[in-house]
C-alpha cells in the first residue's frame, strides 16, 4: 500500500499479547484481514513473528513479551508505555485494539496520555473456573469484543458506550475460498496424492513439553499406516527432535493446507479449533492445560460439530485408545452437526469501523 | 584485535553516543507512568513507608536491580548479565544468520554479558531460536520524525554506555572480541 493510500484510511493499531504461542496474533491478523482496504492496520506485537505479519501486508513493531523478559511488571510497563507512545505519535491511530487476557497498565497509560480516540478490548470468554478475575473495568474501553465459542452467534450485551460489549461467533484468519483442496494442498506440500497423512500441531514447544506425548502418538499413527507431518511453530525457541520418517513443516497459517491431511492431531487453542471447524479435518485434540483458557471444554464443543476425539494422551493406554477412536470416526459425517457461523472476524471489523465512523 | 574491527567498534560507539545525546523529554514525561496516590488508612501508610525504605535500599549499589535486564527467561545467560549490543542494521538476512550463529556459539567467552540484537531485519523465527533480546527498527509510514530514527535514539539512551560490536564480528576470527568490549564494564 502506498503512503498516500495509507494516509487516507483510518489507522487501527492492533496490539497482541504472546510469548509462547501465536493465538492472539492470529486473532489480530484475522481482524486486520477484514479491515484491509477499509482501514490501515498497524501491529504492535509481543509475538516474535513479525515477518509473518509483514508477509500478510501489514506493518509491525515488536517488544519482548513480559513472559520472556526478566524485567519487573512496573519496568516492563514503563517500556511499553514509552514505545507505544512513539508508535501512536507516528501513525496517529483512530482506534487501538488490544487482544489479550489482561490489558497492560502501560497500554492504558499510553492510550490515555496520547489521547487515543477509541480503545477496544478483544478477549476470550472460555476461561478456566479457577482463573482470577481480571481487575480491569470494561468501561475503560469504548468497545469490548468477546470471542464466542462454537455455538455463539453475534450478540450485543451492552449497547451504551463506554464499554459497549458484543460477542462474536468463531472465526479464522482466512476465508473459505483461501483454503486449498486436498489435491492442490498435497501438490503444494510435495505430498503423494494417494498417501495417508496425519498433521501434528501440538503447540510451540515453549510452554508444555510435548515430546513424550508427541512421540507416543507418532508411533501410534505410524503403526496405523500414516505418514506423520509435524508442524513446527515459527516462534519455537527449540525444535522437538523428530524421529526418522517424520516430515517437518513450517507454514503459517496451517489452515491454508489443512485439507491435505486425512487426520489432524492438535492442542485445542481457540484459533486451532476454529480452523478445524472450517477445514472439517477429523481431529484428535490433546488439550493444553497450562494456559488460562479452558481448552478441554472447547475441544468437546468442537467435537459436537466435526469428527473429533478429546484426550489428554498422557498414558500409553490413553494414546492407543485415542488413535483407534480417531481412525474409527474419521469417515463419519455428523448429520446432526449444528450450522456453524465462522464470520466473527467480519463482525469485529464492522464493529471497529462503526466505532471509528460513528464515535 | 584486528584494526578494522576496532575501528568499526569505535565508530559504532561514537554513533550511539551521538544518538543518546538527543533527548526526548516530551516523550518521557508524557508517557512516564507515575505511581498512583496511596489509599487512605494505617495499613496503606505503613505499606507505603516499607516500600519507600525498600526502594531507598534498592537505589544503593550493589543491591540495585537492573530496571531493564536483557537476559531472557529460559536462556542460559546469567540473569544479572549486562547488555552487549550487537549492531545489525542494514545487514542482509543471510549475513545476520551466519554471524549471529557464530557469535552464539562463542558467547561463553563473554561471561557476564547477554546479547541485545539491534536490527531492521524481520527474521524472528531465527531470533526465537537464538534466544537473544531483539530490539527491532521497522519503518512505519506516518507523521513527524521517521519512526526508526526516533526509536534508535530511544534505544541509544536506554542502553547508554553499553559496549557494542558489529554483527559481522561474528564472521571474523579475532580474539579481540573477548578482550575488547568485555573489558569495558558497564554500570547503569
Amino acid at each position: 500500500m502506498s503512503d498516500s493510500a495509507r494516509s487516507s484510511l483510518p489507522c487501527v493499531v492492533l496490539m497482541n499479547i504472546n510469548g509462547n504461542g501465536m493465538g492472539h496474533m492470529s486473532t489480530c491478523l484475522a481482524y486486520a484481514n477484514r479491515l484491509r482496504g477499509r482501514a490501515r492496520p498497524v501491529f504492535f506485537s509481543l509475538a516474535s513473528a513479525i515477518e509473518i505479519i509483514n508477509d500478510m501486508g501489514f506493518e509491525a513493531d515488536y517488544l519482548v513479551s513480559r513472559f520472556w523478559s526478566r524485567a519487573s511488571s512496573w519496568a516492563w510497563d514503563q517500556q511499553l508505555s514509552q514505545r507505544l507512545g512513539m508508535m501512536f505519535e507516528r501513525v496517529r491511530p483512530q482506534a487501538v485494539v488490544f487482544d489479550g487476557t489482561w490489558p497492560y497498565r502501560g497500554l492504558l497509560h499510553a492510550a490515555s496520555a496520547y489521547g487515543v480516540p477509541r480503545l477496544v478490548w478483544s478477549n476470550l470468554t472460555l476461561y478456566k473456573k479457577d482463573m482470577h478475575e481480571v481487575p480491569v473495568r470494561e468501561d475503560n474501553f469504548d468497545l469490548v469484543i468477546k470471542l464466542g465459542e462454537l455455538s455463539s452467534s453475534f450478540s450485543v450485551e451492552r449497547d451504551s458506550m463506554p464499554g459497549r460489549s458484543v460477542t462474536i461467533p468463531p472465526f479464522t484468519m482466512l476465508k473459505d475460498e483461501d483454503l486449498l483442496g486436498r489435491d492442490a494442498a498435497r501438490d503444494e506440500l510435495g505430498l503423494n496424492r494417494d498417501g495417508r497423512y496425519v498433521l501434528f500441531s501440538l503447540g510451540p514447544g515453549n510452554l508444555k513439553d510435548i515430546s513424550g506425548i508427541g512421540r507416543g502418538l507418532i508411533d501410534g499413527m505410524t503403526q496405523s499406516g500414516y505418514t506423520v507431518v509435524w508442524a513446527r511453530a515459527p516462534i519455537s525457541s527449540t525444535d522437538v527432535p523428530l524421529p526418522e520418517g517424520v516430515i517437518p513443516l513450517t507454514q503459517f497459517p496451517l489452515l491454508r493446507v489443512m485439507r491435505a491431511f486425512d487426520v489432524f492431531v492438535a492442542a485445542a487453542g481457540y484459533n486451532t479449533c476454529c480452523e478445524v471447524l472450517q477445514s472439517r479435518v477429523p481431529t484428535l485434540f490433546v488439550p493444553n492445560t497450562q494456559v488460562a483458557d479452558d481448552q478441554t471444554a472447547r475441544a468437546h464443543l468442537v467435537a459436537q460439530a466435526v469428527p473429533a476425539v478429546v484426550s489428554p494422551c498422557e498414558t500409553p493406554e490413553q494414546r492407543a485408545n485415542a488413535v483407534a477412536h480417531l481412525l474409527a470416526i474419521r469417515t463419519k459425517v455428523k448429520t446432526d452437526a449444528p450450522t456453524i457461523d465462522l464470520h466473527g472476524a467480519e463482525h469485529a471489523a464492522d464493529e471497529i469501523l462503526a466505532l471509528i465512523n460513528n464515535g | 584485535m584486528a584494526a578494522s574491527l576496532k575501528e568499526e567498534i569505535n565508530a559504532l560507539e561514537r554513533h550511539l553516543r551521538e544518538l543518546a545525546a538527543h533527548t526526548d523529554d516530551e516523550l518521557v514525561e508524557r508517557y512516564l507512568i507515575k505511581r498512583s496516590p496511596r489509599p487512605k488508612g494505617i495499613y496503606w501508610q505503613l505499606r507505603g513507608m516499607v516500600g519507600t525504605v525498600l526502594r531507598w535500599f534498592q537505589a544503593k549499589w550493589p543491591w540495585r536491580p537492573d530496571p531493564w535486564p536483557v537476559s531472557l527467561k529460559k536462556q542460559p545467560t546469567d540473569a544479572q548479565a549486562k547488555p552487549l549490543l550487537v549492531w545489525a542494521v542494514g545487514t542482509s538476512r543471510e549475513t545476520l544468520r551466519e554471524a549471529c550463529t557464530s557469535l552464539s556459539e562463542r558467547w561463553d567467552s563473554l561471561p557476564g554479558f547477554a546479547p541485545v540484537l539491534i536490527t531492521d531485519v524481520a527474521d524472528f523465527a531465527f531470533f526465537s531460536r537464538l534466544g537473544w533480546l531483539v530490539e527491532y527498527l521497522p519503518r512505519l509510514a506516518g507523521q513527524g520524525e521517521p519512526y526508526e530514527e526516533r526509536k534508535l535514539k530511544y534505544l541509544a539512551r536506554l542502553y547508554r554506555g553499553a559496549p557494542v560490536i558489529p554483527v559481522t564480528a561474528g564472521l571474523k576470527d579475532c580474539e579481540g572480541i573477548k578482550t575488547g568490549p568485555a573489558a569495558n564494564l558497564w554500570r547503569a
Side-chain angles (χ1 to χ4, degrees), chain B residues 70-93:
Chain B
V70 295
S71 172
L72 300 182
K73 290 177 186 172
K74 300 180 185 178
Q75 295 306 323
T77 45
D78 177 9
Q80 311 299 323
K82 298 299 183 188
L84 173 55
L85 309 183
V86 180
W87 180 266
V89 179
T91 312
S92 73
R93 182 186 302 263

Side-chain angles (χ1 to χ4, degrees), chain A residues 40 48 51 59-61 67-70 74-75 78-79 81-83 85 89-90 109 113 206 234 236 239, chain B residues 28 30-33 67 71-74 124-125 128-129 135 138 140-145 147 150-151 154:
Chain A
R40 172 196 172 198
S48 59
E51 59 267 42
E59 303 156 276
D61 196 5
F67 299 125
W68 286 9
S69 172
R70 293 181 194 270
W74 178 259
Q78 293 284 14
Q79 287 296 318
S81 179
Q82 301 278 317
R83 296 171 191 235
E89 292 187 7
R90 177 67 176 169
H109 183 81
N206 295 339
S236 286
D239 288 325
Chain B
V28 172
R30 188 176 301 130
Y31 297 102
L32 183 69
I33 305 173
S71 172
L72 300 182
K73 290 177 186 172
K74 300 180 185 178
F124 283 79
S128 294
R129 286 161 175 80
E135 297 285 13
L140 300 179
Q143 302 188 32
E145 182 180 9
Y147 182 79
R150 190 180 193 192
K151 185 173 178 183
Y154 174 83

Side-chain angles (χ1 to χ4, degrees), chain B residues 57-67 80 82 187-188:
Chain B
F57 275 110
Q58 283 179 348
K60 305 295 178 192
W61 184 87
W63 299 295
R64 180 181 53 192
D66 188 343
Q80 311 299 323
K82 298 299 183 188
R187 287 171 190 269

Side-chain angles (χ1 to χ4, degrees), chain A residues 167-231:
Chain A
T167 295
I168 59 173
F171 58 88
T172 64
M173 208 185 313
L174 303 178
K175 300 171 187 169
D176 283 345
E177 54 264 33
D178 297 327
L179 274 65
L180 295 178
R182 184 179 184 276
D183 287 347
R186 287 196 172 194
D187 290 346
E188 179 159 309
L189 296 174
L191 302 179
N192 187 334
R193 284 193 180 190
D194 299 324
R196 288 200 290 180
Y197 294 96
V198 52
L199 174 66
F200 274 65
S201 179
L202 286 173
N206 295 339
L207 190 60
K208 182 177 178 183
D209 181 5
I210 53 176
S211 51
I213 293 173
R215 183 62 204 247
L217 289 170
I218 286 172
D219 290 343
M221 293 303 304
T222 305
Q223 287 160 14
S224 300
Y226 285 77
T227 300
V228 174
V229 178
W230 185 281

Side-chain angles (χ1 to χ4, degrees), chain B residues 123-138:
Chain B
D123 194 4
F124 283 79
F126 172 70
F127 299 155
S128 294
R129 286 161 175 80
L130 206 52
W132 294 4
L133 174 59
V134 178
E135 297 285 13
Y136 179 52
L137 295 169

Side-chain angles (χ1 to χ4, degrees), chain A residues 194-313:
Chain A
D194 299 324
R196 288 200 290 180
Y197 294 96
V198 52
L199 174 66
F200 274 65
S201 179
L202 286 173
N206 295 339
L207 190 60
K208 182 177 178 183
D209 181 5
I210 53 176
S211 51
I213 293 173
R215 183 62 204 247
L217 289 170
I218 286 172
D219 290 343
M221 293 303 304
T222 305
Q223 287 160 14
S224 300
Y226 285 77
T227 300
V228 174
V229 178
W230 185 281
R232 283 194 163 141
I235 65 166
S236 286
S237 53
T238 54
D239 288 325
V240 173
L242 298 178
E244 197 174 326
V246 173
I247 303 170
L249 172 65
T250 300
Q251 175 134 0
F252 186 87
L254 280 175
L255 176 60
R256 186 167 171 276
V257 295
M258 262 178 71
R259 290 178 175 154
F261 300 94
D262 300 288
V263 289
F264 184 35
V265 177
Y270 184 83
N271 291 292
T272 297
C273 287
C274 292
E275 290 171 359
V276 169
L277 289 172
Q278 187 176 22
S279 65
R280 299 251 168 204
V281 176
T283 299
L284 164 57
F285 285 115
V286 185
N288 186 340
T289 55
Q290 293 183 17
V291 290
D293 54 317
D294 192 342
Q295 291 202 357
T296 304
R298 181 181 299 125
H300 282 291
L301 285 173
V302 176
Q304 295 173 15
V306 301
V309 175
V310 184
S311 169
C313 292

